[in-house]
Amino acid sequence: MFIEMEHIRKEYGNGENKLYALNDASLSLEKGEFCVILGPSGSGKSTLLNILGGLDSADGGKLIIDGKELTKLTKKELAKYRREQVGIVFQTYNLIGELTVRENVKVVSDISATPLDADKLLDELGLGKHKTHFPSELSGGQQQRCAIARAVVKNPSLLLCDEPTGALDSSSSRDVLELLQEVNEKYGTTVVLITHNEAIAEMADRIVRIRDGKITENKVGPKKPVKELVF
């Protein structure tokens, strides 16, 4: 099992003011699965993503990813895990405005242990003609493609996507989802994508629903091609 999450708990506040962002949440994923996590705002899905990515720590429970027990790692070890094994794609692209597309990707590949070839990757992701362009010269969909390239170039074993189509129109959303599906299939990357868009779940190997910090459903998805999704 690639991800083994057992009874994870994340708390905020104390006493009567205590709130649970995650409450006894358990989840297992096989290597190479494409998992879509659905839930309304405040359900705990972003907290779950942050804990999987080593950006936040759990207050209880056990989390093992690719043989590493994250709940026992030091801050230094967590930083190494984030740098070497995790790629993250945000809703807001977080590109460096003063750098070109190629430079935004190279800044990550240059500090990665086993990076992919940046130029080849950009060509494969449809950004070959935009390597020397700055983020401000790209459409929203192209900026998100660049953000995906930056996350994928480090050759991560786990790719986490936080509402990656939230700021895009339906056409650009479809392009980005096709790209994520291609990355999953070509590189065998385990992908976890959180969204509130029910249609996106149809592309998943596994569909997980979360509400009030609890996993309420975990089922096998139909894994449809993105072109068959109805937005």
Side-chain angles (χ1 to χ4, degrees):
M1 198 65 65
F2 182 71
I3 294 177
E4 298 175 82
M5 187 176 76
E6 301 175 2
H7 310 295
I8 289 293
R9 191 179 75 254
K10 182 65 181 178
E11 306 168 354
Y12 294 101
N14 296 294
E16 293 181 357
N17 296 320
K18 183 180 290 186
L19 298 173
Y20 289 92
L22 290 175
N23 189 357
D24 196 34
S26 297
L27 176 66
S28 296
L29 293 178
E30 298 281 0
K31 185 172 179 60
E33 276 195 293
F34 195 119
C35 174
V36 170
I37 298 179
L38 292 161
S41 297
S43 61
K45 59 185 187 295
S46 291
T47 301
L48 174 56
L49 203 76
N50 288 337
I51 289 176
L52 290 175
L55 299 172
D56 203 352
S57 57
D59 294 316
K62 183 177 182 180
L63 176 60
I64 300 174
I65 298 181
D66 201 15
K68 289 185 175 66
E69 188 169 346
L70 266 63
T71 36
K72 289 187 176 180
L73 297 185
T74 64
K75 287 185 178 180
K76 185 176 181 180
E77 289 169 334
L78 271 176
K80 186 173 186 290
Y81 161 76
R82 290 194 301 269
R83 184 174 65 250
E84 295 183 356
Q85 290 187 252
V86 182
I88 303 179
V89 179
F90 298 96
Q91 179 177 340
T92 51
Y93 320 121
N94 291 346
L95 299 175
I96 302 171
E98 295 76 20
L99 299 183
T100 65
V101 165
R102 185 178 187 277
E103 289 167 343
N104 264 283
V105 175
K106 282 289 289 179
V107 76
V108 174
S109 68
D110 287 346
I111 60 170
S112 301
T114 57
L116 302 175
D117 183 286
D119 288 304
K120 184 179 179 181
L121 179 65
L122 286 169
D123 289 339
E124 290 175 347
L125 301 190
L127 290 169
K129 296 179 180 179
H130 303 286
K131 292 178 186 178
T132 59
H133 292 178
F134 292 95
S136 61
E137 299 174 309
L138 304 177
S139 67
Q142 289 167 340
Q143 289 186 64
Q144 191 60 294
R145 279 177 173 264
C146 183
I148 291 170
R150 184 182 56 187
V152 171
V153 75
K154 66 167 68 175
N155 197 19
S157 56
L158 178 62
L159 182 62
L160 303 175
C161 305
D162 187 356
E163 297 277 9
T165 62
L168 303 176
D169 59 31
S170 59
S171 177
S172 296
S173 294
R174 197 176 295 278
D175 289 343
V176 165
L177 293 173
E178 284 181 343
L179 182 56
L180 291 173
Q181 200 168 59
E182 182 181 329
V183 166
N184 168 249
E185 294 171 355
K186 180 170 184 176
Y187 299 106
T189 310
T190 304
V191 178
V192 178
L193 184 155
I194 63 173
T195 183
H196 64 273
N197 189 333
E198 291 282 339
I200 292 176
E202 295 291 299
M203 69 182 288
D205 293 303
R206 182 162 300 280
I207 301 169
V208 174
R209 295 180 189 275
I210 185 169
R211 180 176 290 274
D212 298 329
K214 293 180 177 290
I215 304 264
T216 58
E217 184 178 51
N218 181 347
K219 67 179 184 179
V220 175
K223 197 174 177 64
K224 291 182 180 179
V226 173
K227 64 183 180 182
E228 295 182 10
L229 304 186
V230 180
F231 289 99

